[in-house]
């Protein structure tokens, strides 16, 4: 890897990946292209901003001119840029189609035109939809439920079509729910941590017994790096944490780490078309030697500690966009 373009590198997983990449590939340059939406935050890149191998470009992945400038000289591209929150996609779907479909298309067009050597499309288990029992492997049909997962599925299909039609050396990585430092506090784990720290109600949708599989963000970064290095062109790779939990269990574990009472849990109206359970079979990435290395308890403790120690990071996010968004959705919580 000589020069890698990381789109969406100011977001949660992208910013973790940038630090990880600069460590893993000691000679490589890393270019971040990010629009800095509400979810993008330059503070996420503070640790690397003076690194001479790091460059930041503010711009939209759906803007071809900007993408051309960003891709110039890069031999590898990893596309994290996306609108990512299911609840927002139900309220405001348009941005999801622009970024997750048109943005991915724009990036693919430029990548094939300039002859990028490695391309990883970062996707999600949500494209498969819900599964009552068993687990989806990479050949399962896609059955998305929300505008978010449908837009991600659109991006995946385009990416795989570019691998087939134009032999773009591309892999699609579909991971389960990530957690760790720098996750925007609208997602379940950081929302529960930050609300609990202030003794606010912890809103669980429906009966709180939906199941997600949890993957520590740095384990995902390792899997993605491996795919950039050795993934098979044209292949999809599922990436899971071997850690299925009901939302209420995740919440209880957070409360235990923080020493807060379970009475904070509040059951609220369910999300429309809420997927009951996600589960992946991940044999293909395991055949490359990858395993999720971080046990959930250890990852969760590290994550809780990070939020406790970094109130200055999350409080402004909560007080601005997040408060406004929840007021509109729930009428004044
Ligand atoms: P995030 O919402 O924290 O960050 C998204 C980043 O993309 C932000 O920095 C934002 O500014 C940027 N962005 C948005 N629209 C853009 C545009 N048009 N042009 C350029 N940049 C733009 O997201 P995340 O949780 O870090 O997720 C990253 C990727 O991983 C996404 O593609 C998501 O679908 C996928 N994913 C996430 C999870 C998870 O649990 N968080 C799980 C599986 C897959
Ligand atoms: P989320 O973090 O939004 O990720 P995703 O929907 O992409 O899996 O939600 C994780 C689970 O937690 C999901 O089942 C919805 C649930 N959830 C709540 O019960 N309450 C909340 O306030 C949020 C944000 C999520």
């Amino acid at each position: 890897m000589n020069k890698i373009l990381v789109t969406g590198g100011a977001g949660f997983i992208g910013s973790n990946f940038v630090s990880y990449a600069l460590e893993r590939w000691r000679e490589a340059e890393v270019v971040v292209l990010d629009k800095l939406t509400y979810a993008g935050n330059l503070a996420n890149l503070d640790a690397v901003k003076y690194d001479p191998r790091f460059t930041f470009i503010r711009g939209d992945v759906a803007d071809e001119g900007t993408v051309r400038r960003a891709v110039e000289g890069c031999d590898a591209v990893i596309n994290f840029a996306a609108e990512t929150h299911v609840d927002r996609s139900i309220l405001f779907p348009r941005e999801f189609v622009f970024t997750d479909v048109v943005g991915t298309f724009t990036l693919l067009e430029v990548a094939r035109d300039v002859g990028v050597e490695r391309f990883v499309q970062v996707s999600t288990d949500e494209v498969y939809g819900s599964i009552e029992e068993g687990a989806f492997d990479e050949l399962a049909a896609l059955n998305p439920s929300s505008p978010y997962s449908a837009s991600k599925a659109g991006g995946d299909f385009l990416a795989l079509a570019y691998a087939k039609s134009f032999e773009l050396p591309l892999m699609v990585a579909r991971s389960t729910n990530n957690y760790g430092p720098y996750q925007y506090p609208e997602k379940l784990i950081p929302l529960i941590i930050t609300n609990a720290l202030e003794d606010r109600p912890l809103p669980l949708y429906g009966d709180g017994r939906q199941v997600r599989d949890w993957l520590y963000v740095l384990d995902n970064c390792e899997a993605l790096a491996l795919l950039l290095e050795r993934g098979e062109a044209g292949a999809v790779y599922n990436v899971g944490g071997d850690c299925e939990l009901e939302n209420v269990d995740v919440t209880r574990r957070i409360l235990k780490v923080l020493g807060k009472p379970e009475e904070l849990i509040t059951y609220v109206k369910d999300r429309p078309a809420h997927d009951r359970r996600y589960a992946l079979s991940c044999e293909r990435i395991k055949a490359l030697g990858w395993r999720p290395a971080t046990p959930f308890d250890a990852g969760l403790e590290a994550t809780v500690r990070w939020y406790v120690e970094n109130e200055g990071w999350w409080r402004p996010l909560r007080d601005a966009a997040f408060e406004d968004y929840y007021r509109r959705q729930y009428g004044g919580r």
Side-chain angles (χ1 to χ4, degrees):
M1 232 59 62
N2 295 316
K3 191 171 174 189
I4 311 161
L5 174 64
V6 181
T7 68
F12 162 48
I13 309 177
S15 61
N16 277 282
F17 184 82
V18 168
S19 298
Y20 178 86
L22 288 165
E23 283 287 314
R24 181 174 178 120
W25 300 301
R26 303 294 304 178
E27 308 290 316
E29 290 176 54
V30 173
V31 178
V32 166
L33 171 63
D34 197 296
K35 189 178 173 182
L36 296 181
T37 66
Y38 78 96
N41 185 350
L42 279 179
N44 297 3
L45 294 165
D46 270 354
V48 300
K49 68 181 174 191
Y50 299 121
D51 190 316
R53 293 184 290 130
F54 169 75
T55 314
F56 180 82
I57 300 170
R58 182 172 192 179
D60 192 328
V61 279
D63 179 61
E64 189 175 328
T66 308
V67 171
R68 275 189 190 280
R69 278 194 301 282
V71 171
E72 204 184 317
C74 292
D75 51 351
V77 173
I78 180 160
N79 182 25
F80 292 96
E83 288 292 335
T84 61
H85 191 42
V86 173
D87 297 326
R88 283 181 192 261
S89 82
I90 292 164
L91 293 170
F92 318 110
R94 187 175 304 272
E95 287 303 313
F96 288 73
V97 178
F98 282 137
T99 294
D100 303 12
V101 183
V102 181
T104 300
F105 163 73
T106 309
L107 207 54
L108 291 166
E109 269 291 280
V110 174
R112 81 156 167 129
D113 192 37
V114 306
V116 161
E117 288 164 31
R118 305 292 285 167
F119 190 120
V120 169
Q121 169 67 7
V122 180
S123 187
T124 164
D125 58 356
E126 303 199 25
V127 295
Y128 296 115
S130 194
I131 186 166
E132 286 290 317
E133 280 174 20
F136 291 118
D137 67 16
E138 289 87 349
L139 299 177
L142 305 194
N143 184 25
S145 305
S146 70
Y148 165 60
S149 50
S151 302
K152 290 298 290 186
D156 283 20
F157 279 135
L158 280 168
L160 292 169
Y162 271 63
K164 284 188 205 154
S165 301
F166 309 116
E167 294 180 2
L168 186 64
L170 167 151
M171 285 66 57
V172 173
R174 295 186 181 137
S175 86
T176 58
N177 285 58
N178 285 219
Y179 69 100
Y182 299 105
Q183 187 168 28
Y184 195 84
E186 67 188 349
K187 303 280 166 67
L188 182 72
I189 287 184
L191 174 90
I192 297 296
I193 296 171
T194 55
N195 273 17
L197 280 171
E198 297 189 312
D199 299 306
R200 293 188 190 217
L202 312 178
L204 289 184
Y205 300 159
D207 64 2
R209 301 198 56 196
Q210 301 82 7
V211 174
R212 296 293 183 266
D213 174 74
W214 294 96
L215 174 64
Y216 192 61
V217 62
L218 290 179
D219 290 339
N220 192 23
C221 291
E222 191 192 359
L224 294 168
L226 202 58
L227 294 185
L228 274 173
E229 287 172 350
R230 308 200 266 122
E232 184 193 329
V236 175
Y237 289 83
N238 288 346
V239 185
D242 281 341
C243 177
E244 282 186 39
L245 288 170
E246 293 183 352
N247 294 334
V248 66
D249 286 339
V250 171
T251 304
R252 287 198 185 111
R253 288 191 195 212
I254 293 169
L255 290 171
K256 196 157 170 237
V257 176
L258 285 172
K260 296 282 186 178
E262 291 195 6
E263 287 66 40
L264 290 176
I265 295 175
T266 309
Y267 292 92
V268 299
K269 188 154 98 36
D270 209 351
R271 169 188 280 175
H274 193 172
D275 286 331
R276 192 72 187 163
R277 174 171 174 264
Y278 295 140
L280 297 183
S281 143
C282 304
E283 296 314 311
R284 193 174 274 172
I285 184 104
K286 287 182 177 168
L288 291 181
W290 178 88
R291 296 280 179 285
T294 312
F296 186 70
D297 283 339
L300 189 67
E301 251 192 74
T303 304
V304 169
R305 199 174 332 116
W306 189 86
Y307 281 88
V308 168
E309 288 168 2
N310 289 278
E311 187 183 333
W313 180 88
W314 56 261
R315 185 168 296 285
L317 306 180
R318 276 268 309 254
D319 290 353
F322 171 76
E323 286 285 355
D324 175 52
Y325 158 66
Y326 270 91
R327 211 172 15 254
R328 270 179 287 160
Q329 189 171 18
Y330 294 115
R333 201 160 41 78

